[in-house]
Amino acid sequence: MKIPEQVKRLLVVNAVLVGTALAIRFYVIPKDLVSTEVHRSTTVERELAKPVKFAGSETCVVCHEDEGTTKGKSFHRSLSCEGCHGPASGHAADPGAIKPPAPRDRKFCPVCHAYDASRPTGFPQINPTAHNPLKACIECHNPHDPSPPETPRACSACHAQIERTKAVSSHALLDCTTCHVTPELHKTSPRTALPSKPQSREFCATCHGNDSKQKDPPKVDITTHGTPYLCWQCHYPHLPEGR
């Protein structure tokens, strides 16, 4: 098969262009301009050269006494103000001209509070994807006093999947604390103080027993139905099928 003359010329032109580009890449451009190591080292040097001056929390509370007092009694008492707000020496020198930033999105707080199995037991951890999505952390939590919300509102913060499932179940209108007794310590140390589960068949029979005064729930004779098991050992109460 004979190659057309136009194709031959095009191949020659392409070869010349590729050869020229390679020659420029390896023989004309200085190595410093194409070396990623050089770019990385110069970037690090440039960032390190920027002035980073901390004012210290003692300086912050001179003007922000209330916030300092609140934080000093909270779970964040060991954190420096500038740990969240950044270096503030410029703000301390000229408060009107320089305003320190504050975390107002969902990226900063998960640095410490996103779930990580290596964190200490009881340390508050959340799934940033499922935990109150679309809301900034400071909309629900005061960072100067990040006390957990009240129960049962706090339940959905950590158990969002269960909350969503329960919302379409027959138990949608029941508060979590109807069935679970939640120690106050569970909100700050969830793994060391677990909520309780109903420990008797009579608990569920309050609504589901034949002699229950509740009209709507399905009724059973607890003296014969599923003995000797507890109700939740056969019926998962969070599921829509949990009947």
Side-chain angles (χ1 to χ4, degrees):
M1 176 180 177
K2 184 178 180 181
I3 300 176
E5 188 63 26
Q6 297 86 342
V7 175
K8 292 181 179 179
R9 293 178 182 178
L10 183 60
L11 291 175
V12 171
V13 171
N14 286 337
V16 171
L17 291 176
V18 171
T20 303
L22 292 175
I24 293 174
R25 165 66 176 78
F26 291 102
Y27 299 105
V28 177
I29 299 177
K31 292 183 178 179
D32 291 350
L33 293 180
V34 296
S35 171
T36 56
E37 294 182 0
V38 172
H39 284 292
R40 187 178 298 112
S41 62
T42 55
T43 300
V44 172
E45 292 175 0
R46 183 172 63 253
E47 292 300 317
L48 291 177
K50 291 182 178 179
V52 178
K53 296 182 179 179
F54 293 91
S57 295
E58 297 81 4
T59 302
C60 300
V61 297
V62 171
C63 297
H64 306 284
E65 183 178 358
D66 292 343
E67 287 81 358
T69 301
T70 301
K71 187 176 77 67
K73 299 177 182 178
S74 77
F75 292 106
H76 283 172
R77 56 184 172 276
S78 61
L79 299 183
S80 166
C81 303
E82 291 162 296
C84 298
H85 294 286
S89 63
H91 173 65
D94 190 353
I98 301 177
K99 300 291 185 183
R104 300 188 186 283
D105 54 31
R106 296 175 55 83
K107 299 178 181 177
F108 185 81
C109 301
V111 172
C112 293
H113 292 289
Y115 179 75
D116 185 336
S118 65
R119 298 195 196 282
T121 298
F123 188 86
Q125 300 180 71
I126 54 101
N127 179 345
T129 302
H131 181 86
N132 290 333
L134 305 180
K135 282 190 174 182
C137 303
I138 62 174
E139 288 189 46
C140 300
H141 303 276
N142 177 0
H144 298 134
D145 183 15
S147 299
E150 295 179 357
T151 303
R153 181 185 175 191
C155 301
S156 61
C158 297
H159 306 287
Q161 184 173 359
I162 293 177
E163 178 70 15
R164 289 193 293 271
T165 302
K166 187 174 78 69
V168 293
S169 77
S170 301
H171 289 161
L173 299 181
L174 298 183
D175 289 334
C176 303
T177 48
T178 302
C179 302
H180 301 284
V181 176
T182 307
E184 187 68 19
L185 182 60
H186 178 68
K187 293 188 288 186
T188 56
S189 184
R191 296 180 187 175
T192 57
L194 298 176
S196 70
K197 295 179 180 178
Q199 294 300 309
S200 70
R201 296 162 56 83
E202 288 71 22
F203 180 85
C204 297
T206 304
C207 295
H208 296 287
N210 281 335
D211 56 351
S212 172
K213 296 181 181 179
Q214 301 287 338
K215 297 181 179 179
D216 295 331
K219 301 295 188 293
V220 297
D221 181 358
I222 65 166
T223 60
T224 59
H225 180 82
T227 57
Y229 300 104
L230 295 174
C231 305
W232 52 262
Q233 291 177 306
C234 299
H235 303 274
Y236 184 58
H238 301 143
L239 283 177
E241 297 82 6
R243 295 180 179 276

